[in-house]
Amino acid sequence: MQGVARNFFTLAIIFSVLGMMLGLSMAMSHDHAQMPTHAHIMVLGWVMSSIFAFFYHLVPAARSSRLAIVHFWLSALSSIGLVIGLFLLYGGNPSAEPIAAICSMGFFAATLLFAFIAFRALWGGETAGAAGRVAAH
């Protein structure tokens, strides 16, 4: 695994550890106020970053795109910001809601960018077409 795929999987592992630490902390303290934060860490951080990593690993045409780097940074920064915003919000700081909202929109934009990258790599361009022809034979 290399490049953007490695970056996404590294991010996924970090989120996995942080999400499990938060989950264990909630279980030990019997305070589950951070459950939405925990869920977002595990789904956006661990699951989505892993899916992005494996897609880029398996589809070289997608990872060679400069947009893949933009996708990584937009996803990473928005997911980190969202987790921080949610942690503050569910920790009793309602003024953090705009941070969570803006970062949510950023992650949505990153997901739309991923859809563009993925569809272009899978269905368009010479690289994807050549790979499809080789697989068909």
Side-chain angles (χ1 to χ4, degrees):
M1 194 173 282
Q2 57 187 336
V4 72
R6 181 181 56 212
N7 294 348
F8 267 117
F9 203 62
T10 300
L11 185 64
I13 293 167
I14 292 167
F15 271 124
S16 175
V17 170
L18 291 175
M20 288 182 194
M21 287 171 52
L22 180 58
L24 286 170
S25 172
M26 289 187 305
M28 290 187 288
S29 68
H30 301 285
D31 178 2
H32 294 87
Q34 291 291 342
M35 185 62 74
T37 308
H38 169 72
H40 280 79
I41 291 171
M42 297 310 289
V43 174
L44 292 183
W46 167 236
V47 175
M48 292 297 290
S49 292
S50 294
I51 290 170
F52 295 151
F54 287 112
F55 177 81
Y56 285 119
H57 179 71
L58 295 171
V59 183
R63 79 169 167 256
S64 65
S65 165
R66 290 183 187 187
L67 287 177
I69 302 292
V70 174
H71 174 232
F72 170 76
W73 284 109
L74 185 56
S75 294
L77 295 174
S78 61
S79 61
I80 291 167
L82 177 57
V83 166
I84 291 169
L86 289 174
F87 188 81
L88 294 171
L89 181 65
Y90 289 103
N93 187 352
S95 64
E97 189 168 5
I99 297 168
I102 290 167
C103 292
S104 291
M105 288 184 275
F107 197 85
F108 179 65
T111 303
L112 290 176
L113 178 58
F114 174 70
F116 174 77
I117 293 165
F119 287 143
R120 188 175 71 174
L122 295 173
W123 296 101
E126 293 178 26
T127 307
R133 284 190 299 275
V134 169
H137 289 94

